[in-house]
Amino acid sequence: MVHVGIGYDVHALVAGRKLILGGVEIPHAKGLDGHSDADALMHAICDALLGALGEPDIGHFFPNTDPRWKNVPSRVFLEEAARLISLRPGKIVNVDATIVAQQPKVYPHIAEMKRRIALALNIPETHIGIKATTNEKMGFIGREEGIAAMAVAGIDW
Ligand code: MG
């Protein structure tokens, strides 16, 4: 049976940090702040996968108080989610996600994000959807104070 999970994440945009989304470093004046590399897209996808397993969220498995996860690339979290899925045993049917960012334009980087997420999860790129939208200049995302991502995932287990 296919189980569906949902994930959402947001991180603040601050000076002096790299902007990493979907495992890709995107040239920008500001980056996402957080304990890990603050890759909101990979975090949302990770939560969607964990949700489809009925497991607790990413913070349960990788607490931001644990120095082991400081500045780690978030593909580590996706690899761990994939390992938990394989133990079930389960198979990822698909992942679909939306990035909400006013700036910078992330569209040119989506193909590379798909490649990196597919690699971390060991699934074909064709099973991954990534879209991006602005927030029409409204709210904290519109003021470029942060970037959010949401995701759904289907897992057959
Ligand atoms: Mg996060």
Side-chain angles (χ1 to χ4, degrees):
M1 190 195 291
V2 176
H3 299 247
V4 171
I6 184 171
Y8 171 82
D9 195 32
V10 62
H11 284 270
L13 270 173
V14 296
R17 289 271 300 185
K18 288 178 182 172
L19 176 57
I20 312 274
L21 281 172
V24 178
E25 185 177 336
I26 300 173
H28 194 48
K30 295 190 278 186
L32 295 176
D33 196 20
H35 185 67
S36 65
D37 64 2
D39 188 330
L41 175 60
M42 282 196 174
H43 294 183
I45 291 170
C46 193
D47 265 357
L49 293 166
L50 293 170
L53 293 179
E55 294 286 349
D57 65 39
I58 188 171
H60 171 86
F61 291 97
F62 310 104
N64 61 11
T65 49
D66 189 332
R68 270 185 305 167
W69 312 124
K70 187 156 175 63
N71 295 323
V72 299
S74 293
R75 67 173 162 74
V76 169
F77 306 148
L78 288 185
E79 287 164 359
E80 176 61 10
R83 193 184 68 84
L84 292 171
I85 292 161
S86 68
L87 289 176
R88 198 57 62 115
K91 189 177 180 335
I92 299 170
V93 176
N94 77 309
V95 168
D96 188 28
T98 297
I99 300 163
V100 190
Q102 193 64 45
Q103 286 287 342
K105 288 274 168 272
V106 297
Y107 180 79
H109 305 282
I110 284 178
E112 184 60 22
M113 290 179 192
K114 280 190 187 184
R115 265 193 287 281
R116 298 198 181 200
I117 292 161
L119 198 63
L121 295 176
N122 196 25
I123 61 174
E125 287 172 38
T126 50
H127 295 200
I128 301 171
I130 301 176
K131 293 92 60 199
T133 182
T134 71
N135 219 37
E136 296 290 344
K137 299 189 176 170
M138 293 180 290
F140 71 88
I141 293 172
R143 292 190 297 271
E144 301 175 37
E145 295 167 5
I147 288 176
M150 57 193 90
V152 291
I155 301 177
D156 192 356
W157 66 272

